[in-house]
């Protein structure tokens, strides 16, 4: 999904902006990736209570960092292994991880899916502000 968004982006839109817009599109489309509901709380609780599942979630996040970094370099013609691509991918996945975790917590606390989605997007946007500052002057921002 992340890879496809970057590969299919408008050439006038920076890769990181494309990914920020993807988060907004996923919320608008009510994608299961960003659904905050009572049904999902059991799944989230199971992960939070299991050290093995938390470790697997971190491993998946690390795998996604590699995929995003590779996609960023491919989309901009930069060398594979570009440290700035790895920085961008790591910051992006950290941003989205925090946004998802906090949105699920907000839903658990208030039971309001709309509020959880708004909080998710607010954190994604705030994180992307930092990403753009960190990557200013690169083809990624």
């Amino acid at each position: 999904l992340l890879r496809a968004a970057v590969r299919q982006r408008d050439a006038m839109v920076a890769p990181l902006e494309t990914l920020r817009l993807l988060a907004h599109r996923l919320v608008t489309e009510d994608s299961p990736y960003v659904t905050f509901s009572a049904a999902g709380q059991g799944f989230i609780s199971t992960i939070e209570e299991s050290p093995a599942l938390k470790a697997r979630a971190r491993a998946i996040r690390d795998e996604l960092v590699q995929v995003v970094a590779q996609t960023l370099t491919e989309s901009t013609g930069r060398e594979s292994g570009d440290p700035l691509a790895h920085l961008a991918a790591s910051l992006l996945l950290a941003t989205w991880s925090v946004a998802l975790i906090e949105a699920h917590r907000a839903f658990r606390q208030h039971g309001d899916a709309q509020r959880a989605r708004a909080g998710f997007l607010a954190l994604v946007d705030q994180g992307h502000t930092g990403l753009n500052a960190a990557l200013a002057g690169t083809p990624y921002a």
Side-chain angles (χ1 to χ4, degrees):
L1 187 64
L2 297 170
R3 182 180 288 179
V6 171
R7 286 182 176 165
Q8 297 168 3
R9 73 184 166 87
D10 180 328
M12 300 301 293
V13 179
L16 293 176
E17 177 62 8
T18 297
L19 294 172
R20 187 189 72 78
L21 293 172
L22 173 63
H24 283 264
R25 190 184 77 201
L26 292 173
V27 167
T28 299
E29 294 173 355
D30 202 24
S31 168
Y33 295 116
V34 291
T35 297
F36 309 105
S37 66
Q41 288 304 301
F43 177 73
I44 297 301
S45 293
T46 299
I47 293 171
E48 290 176 339
E49 295 168 10
S50 169
L53 291 176
K54 284 193 286 190
R56 182 61 188 133
R58 284 189 296 273
I60 290 169
R61 184 188 62 220
D62 291 346
E63 291 166 14
L64 284 171
V65 165
Q66 296 307 313
V67 168
V68 171
Q70 179 183 1
T71 301
L72 289 172
T73 58
E74 289 170 359
S75 74
T76 59
R78 302 278 294 226
E79 288 286 321
S80 179
D82 178 10
L84 292 174
H86 287 276
L87 176 63
S90 294
L91 292 172
L92 176 88
L93 270 292
T95 293
W96 282 43
S97 294
V98 169
L100 284 166
I101 289 166
E102 292 303 321
H104 281 291
R105 284 184 183 149
F107 181 83
R108 184 177 23 221
Q109 188 173 42
H110 304 289
D112 184 342
Q114 185 63 27
R115 186 172 171 182
R117 286 190 292 272
F120 168 76
L121 290 176
L123 284 170
V124 164
D125 289 346
Q126 185 71 41
H128 276 267
T129 297
L131 265 163
N132 286 325
L135 280 296
T138 73
Y140 306 122

